[in-house]
Amino acid sequence: MTKPYVFITRKLPDTAIASLTKYAEVKMWPYEDVPVEREFLLSEAKKADAMITMLSDRVDREVMQAGTSLKVVANLAVGFDNIDIASATENGIAVCNTPDVLTDTTADLTFALLLAAARRVVEAAEFVKAGEWKSWSPLLLAGTDVHHKTIGIVGMGKIGQAVAKRAAGFDMNILYHNRSRNEQAEKELGAIYCTFAELLQKSDFVVCLTPLTSETRHLFNRSAFQMMKQSAIFVNAARGAVVDEEALYEALVNGDIAGAGLDVFTREPIDASHPLLKLKNVVALPHIGSASVETRLKMMELCCENVIAVLNGDTPKTLVNKEWMLKKRNV
């Protein structure tokens, strides 16, 4: 009996996909740091029973329609805004993601970004390495305290709640804004629900963890930044397009806010000439929210488990398009 064919759009460690290679014929794009070429992706989609994709891959209607044998796309990310979900469902293709396994790791990075921006950690490290540290002075690279300040979390999902838990350890006041109330966060962490405008006006640190949707695109625009405290620091560990980057740059330059910590950008990888990267009060990271060895391996393994489940006719652990199940039952 012929094994199913699986294409993976980046080179992953053999140990992480061991369960999959026992079950299927697996082909990987041979590069770890170079995105799969579009034409190559389309040609593989025509042959594949399943694909494991990266957040940087555009898995649109053209890919879905090319994949006449395609049964599942497992995205190595919790987000899936790179995938045409409606087209996948229409073509009977399951879409899976990797939530939960990266929650604490992403929360760690988010809070590290907040601390780095507040205490000017990156700027201070570069100051020492450049040989500029000549003497001690009372306000040398003085930042702002984090403890006992107010954090405003926009997007109180699992990662938002994990960030709130870390903020509680710093005796911070926790505000949040979400599509719906998170009673668990309110009860366990003392988080207070408020409107988006109230959160912006009251928070010393505004942390964006909301998914990218048509409603949240450019949620953080010129008006939003002007509502924030001039001493506030903005942190984005969600998706770049939730922020109007031109408006953020203007807010930082004009002193509408004090600083920013960014792990995501509208276009990734961000060009080194981008204006935001020229500002000393910006800490910029290359989208490494979930990038610990342990967590990335767990994400890869979860992708493999989801692929094997679908190809075996079972329900995957982390199905995104629930409508696929209904369509499957009606076939």
Side-chain angles (χ1 to χ4, degrees), residues 120-155:
R120 302 172 67 179
V121 172
V122 174
E123 187 182 354
E126 292 175 347
F127 182 84
V128 173
K129 289 182 178 181
E132 296 179 29
W133 187 20
K134 305 300 183 184
S135 66
W136 184 89
S137 61
L139 291 176
L140 175 65
L141 289 160
T144 184
D145 282 334
V146 173
H147 61 83
H148 296 94
K149 295 291 184 69
T150 297
I151 184 172
I153 300 172
V154 180

Side-chain angles (χ1 to χ4, degrees), residues 143-218:
T144 184
D145 282 334
V146 173
H147 61 83
H148 296 94
K149 295 291 184 69
T150 297
I151 184 172
I153 300 172
V154 180
M156 187 61 92
K158 291 181 179 179
I159 297 172
Q161 197 163 337
V163 170
K165 186 176 180 180
R166 286 150 178 76
F170 279 72
D171 293 316
M172 299 183 82
N173 303 310
I174 304 166
L175 307 179
Y176 79 96
H177 179 74
N178 206 45
R179 286 181 299 178
S180 57
R181 299 282 288 266
N182 188 323
E183 294 181 2
Q184 183 180 4
E186 293 177 14
K187 182 179 179 180
E188 295 180 1
L189 300 167
I192 299 171
Y193 177 84
C194 57
T195 66
F196 183 58
E198 287 173 335
L199 181 146
L200 296 178
Q201 292 163 4
K202 295 178 179 179
S203 298
D204 298 299
F205 299 90
V206 176
V207 179
C208 175
L209 290 165
T210 187
L212 175 62
T213 66
S214 56
E215 289 79 20
T216 62
R217 185 176 293 275
H218 283 195

Side-chain angles (χ1 to χ4, degrees), residues 39 47 58 64 72 76 81 99 105 111 114 122 155-156 188 194-195 200 229 235 283 296 306 315 320 330:
E39 290 306 314
K47 301 180 287 183
R58 181 164 52 90
M64 302 300 181
V72 55
L76 191 75
D81 45 276
T105 301
F111 211 80
L114 183 155
V122 174
M156 187 61 92
E188 295 180 1
C194 57
T195 66
L200 296 178
K229 296 180 180 180
V235 175
V283 177
R296 287 287 168 88
N306 282 327
T315 303
V320 171
N330 295 329

